[in-house]
Amino acid sequence: MAQISNEQISEIFESIGQLLELKGENVFKVRAYTNAARTLDAFRGNLGELVAEGRLGEIAGIGSAIADKITELVNTGELQYFNKLKAEFPAGLFELFELQGLGPKKIKVLWEKVGITSIAELEAGLADGRVAALPGFGKKTAENFATAIASRSKHAGRFRLGSIAPDAERLLEDLRLHPDVLQVSIAGSYRRRKEIVRDLDFVVATNAPAEVSQFFITHELVESSMVQGPTKSSVRLKSGIQADLRVVKSAEFAFAINYFTGSKEHNIVMRQRALNRGWTLNEYRLEALPPPPAEDIPAVPPEPVKGKAKAKRPSKVVAQPIPEIREERDLYRALGLDYVEPELREDRGEFAAAEAHTLPDLVELENLRGTFHCHTVASDGRNTLLEMADAAQELGLEYLGIADHSRSSVQAHGLDEKRLLAQLAEIRELNATFDGFRLFAGVECDILRDGSLDFPDEILAQLDYVVASVHSAFGLSETEMTTRIVRALENPHVTMLGHLTGRMLLIRESYPVNIPAVIKACADTGTLIELNANPRRLDMDWRWWPLAKEKGVRCVLNPDAHHTTQLQYLWNGIGSARKGWLTRADVVNCLPLAKIERVLQTKRQQAR
Ligand code: DGT
Ligand code: CA
Ligand code: CA
Ligand code: ZN
């Protein structure tokens, strides 16, 4: 069973608090749940482990009633108390809670006074003025509701790669194990490792389509099925994402995964290249073009899928013999191309490079020898130095950089000079006990509003490296923000720039900043740019790495781990690095221990 996440449990407690408030329960009871929700949302530990060891009581603020509910959720994935509570309310009511600015008090009024129990009914009530006329609501409130509805539909149906990866991998694995499945692949934006995915696409080769489709639509992760046909099934998963399954014959598999991996833009060029050779390419096969059409028929073969056909049949082609195609690689070869990795299939230069044999040899997870930017209990992390070091060694890493928050990040329990230097001493001591592994002592130093750093140079100079990050004053203008960051980069002790844009995927946009100017400043000062692999960040965005590479700026792939298990975030980051055309030479933490030490010192030494 896929384990329920801390985030999901937190959401359930949040909902319980809201429903109790809606029922008019006393504030203390309500608060117990909303506080627990907040605690669990920030909690980075493994609840399953704590439940198994009976140690939930160790989490501050979790009393025994809540602990029992967490235990039930972890063990069964459900909570009877919550199910019963929910049943007391109309089902549509829950979506009202998803609207920003609409809390239990207002929902209670909407429900009791005008019978509104869903977003659709709220829209109707806004349109006919019933909502604005309610006591204590008014025109302004009504406008706010309308804005909230609009922004919800903007994000609806979008998922972060990292949050749906467990579902995707589980389904993939279960399909792979099915006895009737001959071949299976995930396709679509997930296979291309896009940071945001709208739906999951699976392609299966089988001689038993009905059995495989039935297995898919009745899978444990599935909530409801929308389409079940001989070649295509669509379901909604419990996590909210839609998943499509295409069923093909073995001989069609290479074509199907190529087509359904996309991107659409990539497919259009593939199709054009086929036409140029006198062939037509679709999701099932590559075949010879039918004889040239009569003049009154448009000279474009029918598109397999609705949408504008951009590929054009050339006027004169001598059809070439069609080579045998067993796998995607053969298809690319037939079209005069080196094999293009899925991450690069965005029509952003991959065709020219594949033709010229200059595609990059993309970095792989196994190439990483260490990583930087990890937090410990000293600031807002959950594990000790030693636990983090052990976890890194277990993953086979040769080094791990510790970068706890600096003093100005008060809410993250940032370190002052004294605590930072104490940690430095502790790291030096620990290092004496390791064999073939090293901890690097760093800090995630706040870039203050004016671009100065949170610690004086004589402190920074004692550390092995410094990650400089913006955590405050996001409201500056683009010019001010850019100047602020560039000033920080000019400090010789700033080894790397943390999460360049501050974006939180699907939560918060980047602050305004001139990215090319920052990249240039990194090039000028010899500063590394972080690819923050936290699934909510993936920052700097993959679209900018080719520019960084062109300017000679190297990447450092960091998990921003606040827990030993979050070293796994590197998986997210590697997908983005690959989308950014990066090779192992572009990612400094592919270097072995003996070489990385020099890289960390280069900028400082040049400044001397
Ligand atoms: P998303 O929105 O995150 O699901 O992104 P994709 O790329 O997974 O898009 P999806 O699921 O709509 O379709 C999967 C692939 O199928 C897509 O990447 C390319 C291919 N495809 C879908 N519609 C068309 C089309 O109209 N023309 C072409 N050439 N390819 C298409
Ligand atoms: Ca998709
Ligand atoms: Ca799809
Ligand atoms: Zn940070």
Side-chain angles (χ1 to χ4, degrees):
M1 190 182 70
Q3 199 193 304
I4 187 165
S5 70
N6 297 6
E7 206 176 333
Q8 286 166 320
I9 297 180
S10 162
E11 278 166 15
I12 289 173
F13 285 142
E14 184 78 46
S15 302
I16 293 176
Q18 290 167 335
L19 294 179
L20 291 177
E21 200 174 340
L22 205 54
K23 272 180 77 166
E25 287 279 358
N26 82 58
V27 292
F28 297 105
K29 192 164 171 191
V30 172
R31 217 173 284 155
Y33 287 97
T34 47
N35 286 346
R38 215 158 302 143
T39 303
L40 292 176
D41 188 46
F43 183 68
R44 321 279 183 153
N46 183 337
L47 287 174
E49 232 167 74
L50 290 186
V51 165
E53 294 164 14
R55 288 168 45 214
L56 282 176
E58 290 175 17
I59 310 176
I62 298 293
S64 70
I66 301 273
D68 288 347
K69 295 193 168 69
I70 297 175
T71 305
E72 187 181 335
L73 280 163
V74 166
N75 290 338
T76 69
E78 282 192 87
L79 183 61
Q80 289 314 321
Y81 171 73
F82 181 48
N83 293 348
K84 284 198 198 116
L85 187 63
K86 268 201 301 196
E88 297 176 29
F89 301 89
L93 204 66
F94 299 96
E95 50 180 47
L96 290 176
F97 283 106
E98 291 167 24
L99 295 178
Q100 195 136 33
L102 192 50
K105 286 194 191 67
K106 290 211 169 77
I107 292 177
K108 200 169 155 75
V109 175
L110 287 172
W111 181 23
E112 292 177 352
K113 299 259 159 48
V114 280
I116 287 176
T117 59
S118 69
I119 289 180
E121 287 169 5
L122 177 59
E123 282 186 292
L126 288 170
D128 64 18
R130 264 182 304 150
V131 171
L134 282 168
F137 277 54
K139 217 175 131 214
K140 186 87 195 84
T141 309
E143 272 167 26
N144 290 346
F145 289 166
T147 314
I149 292 173
S151 104
R152 178 181 178 268
S153 59
K154 195 176 123 204
H155 284 317
R158 303 173 79 209
F159 299 81
R160 285 184 291 269
L161 180 75
S163 47
I164 45 97
D167 279 7
E169 298 297 329
R170 166 94 191 281
L171 273 168
L172 186 63
E173 191 52 29
D174 289 349
L175 283 167
R176 184 173 289 133
L177 294 173
H178 192 282
D180 288 320
V181 169
L182 303 170
Q183 290 180 88
V184 58
S185 174
I186 194 151
S189 49
Y190 183 88
R191 185 169 179 230
R192 302 197 315 278
R193 299 291 187 257
K194 275 284 291 289
E195 67 280 19
I196 303 291
V197 169
R198 283 177 194 274
D199 73 359
L200 296 173
D201 303 276
F202 296 90
V203 181
V204 158
T206 180
N207 297 323
E211 283 80 355
V212 176
S213 303
Q214 186 62 23
F215 173 77
F216 181 70
I217 67 163
T218 56
H219 191 278
E220 197 191 318
L221 293 178
V222 170
E223 183 182 85
S224 57
S225 76
M226 282 103 70
V227 180
Q228 187 187 12
T231 57
K232 181 184 169 178
S233 305
S234 284
V235 296
R236 172 139 346 257
L237 302 185
K238 289 173 180 161
S239 58
I241 196 168
Q242 185 183 322
D244 296 341
L245 173 73
R246 262 89 179 189
V247 178
V248 298
K249 300 193 190 76
S250 268
E252 299 165 338
F253 186 73
F255 301 102
I257 61 168
N258 190 253
Y259 180 86
F260 290 112
T261 296
S263 64
K264 200 168 158 181
E265 292 73 20
H266 181 89
N267 288 356
I268 288 166
V269 180
M270 292 291 279
R271 199 169 138 72
Q272 181 64 59
R273 295 185 71 96
L275 288 171
N276 293 348
R277 286 162 176 74
W279 306 328
T280 149
L281 172 65
N282 62 28
E283 65 266 52
Y284 301 116
R285 62 191 63 86
L286 184 64
E287 59 193 355
L289 269 173
E295 259 172 58
D296 55 337
I297 301 172
V300 181
E303 254 286 79
V305 171
K306 62 179 183 319
K308 297 138 269 156
K310 298 234 182 64
K312 290 257 159 37
R313 179 183 186 143
S315 47
K316 255 185 256 159
V317 271
V318 183
Q320 299 170 24
I322 297 181
E324 188 192 14
I325 285 160
R326 292 166 179 272
E327 42 181 291
E328 280 191 297
R329 196 171 292 276
D330 302 329
L331 177 59
Y332 284 95
R333 191 181 307 116
L335 300 177
L337 299 164
D338 287 348
Y339 176 69
V340 180
E341 296 284 355
E343 291 91 338
L344 301 186
R345 300 182 193 169
E346 302 287 349
D347 193 20
R348 293 172 72 98
E350 71 271 23
F351 288 102
E355 218 169 57
H357 310 297
T358 56
L359 280 172
D361 190 0
L362 299 179
V363 62
E364 291 172 29
L365 197 54
E366 297 70 39
N367 299 148
L368 295 176
R369 309 291 281 270
T371 193
F372 297 92
H373 196 167
C374 294
H375 298 267
T376 72
V377 285
S379 66
D380 58 349
R382 291 286 162 171
N383 291 99
T384 63
L385 282 173
L386 189 57
E387 286 164 351
M388 292 301 284
D390 283 346
Q393 289 179 80
E394 227 160 89
L395 286 177
L397 299 180
E398 294 172 28
Y399 51 89
L400 187 74
I402 301 298
D404 270 313
H405 286 285
S406 63
R407 56 189 170 191
S408 287
S409 279
V410 177
Q411 73 295 346
H413 202 41
L415 276 62
D416 59 18
E417 288 177 17
K418 205 170 140 219
R419 291 175 61 220
L420 180 64
L421 295 179
Q423 186 185 57
L424 173 69
E426 198 185 337
I427 289 176
R428 300 273 183 262
E429 267 171 40
L430 276 175
N431 275 335
T433 69
F434 297 135
D435 187 17
F437 177 83
R438 178 167 167 188
L439 283 176
F440 285 107
V443 68
E444 182 178 17
C445 189
D446 271 32
I447 301 177
L448 304 181
R449 191 188 177 92
D450 64 355
S452 63
L453 293 166
D454 208 7
F455 286 119
D457 282 4
E458 54 274 24
I459 297 291
L460 300 180
Q462 298 178 50
L463 301 169
D464 296 323
Y465 74 103
V466 174
V467 187
S469 308
V470 168
H471 290 123
S472 60
F474 288 5
L476 299 184
S477 71
E478 181 178 315
T479 314
E480 289 167 329
M481 186 61 90
T482 308
T483 309
R484 169 189 187 181
I485 294 175
V486 169
R487 183 171 165 214
L489 298 173
E490 281 160 359
N491 184 306
H493 300 293
V494 170
T495 328
M496 52 189 83
L497 174 61
H499 46 72
L500 195 159
T501 73
R503 77 172 179 190
M504 292 291 241
L505 291 166
L506 301 181
I507 299 168
R508 168 176 96 201
E509 300 286 322
S510 154
Y511 40 68
V513 57
N514 182 336
I515 297 174
V518 171
I519 291 174
K520 183 175 179 301
C522 286
D524 293 345
T525 57
T527 312
L528 304 168
I529 297 182
E530 169 180 89
L531 198 176
N532 189 302
N534 181 308
R536 294 190 179 192
R537 294 189 182 271
L538 295 176
D539 186 7
M540 184 168 81
D541 186 272
W542 57 270
R543 294 162 188 83
W544 290 105
W545 287 110
L547 178 67
K549 191 166 159 169
E550 185 194 313
K551 300 285 176 205
V553 177
R554 282 198 284 176
C555 168
V556 54
L557 188 54
N558 286 333
D560 200 349
H562 288 72
H563 190 276
T564 49
T565 55
Q566 294 177 353
L567 289 171
Q568 306 286 355
Y569 285 169
L570 290 169
W571 176 89
N572 280 279
I574 215 78
S576 271
R578 290 166 63 86
K579 279 197 96 53
W581 290 57
L582 299 181
T583 68
R584 60 196 294 183
D586 303 319
V587 179
V588 293
N589 41 324
C590 291
L591 290 170
L593 182 55
K595 293 205 172 138
I596 193 74
E597 298 185 292
R598 219 176 316 140
V599 171
L600 298 178
Q601 291 305 322
T602 314
K603 182 178 171 185
R604 282 176 181 168
Q605 281 166 356
Q606 280 167 355
R608 261 184 220 137

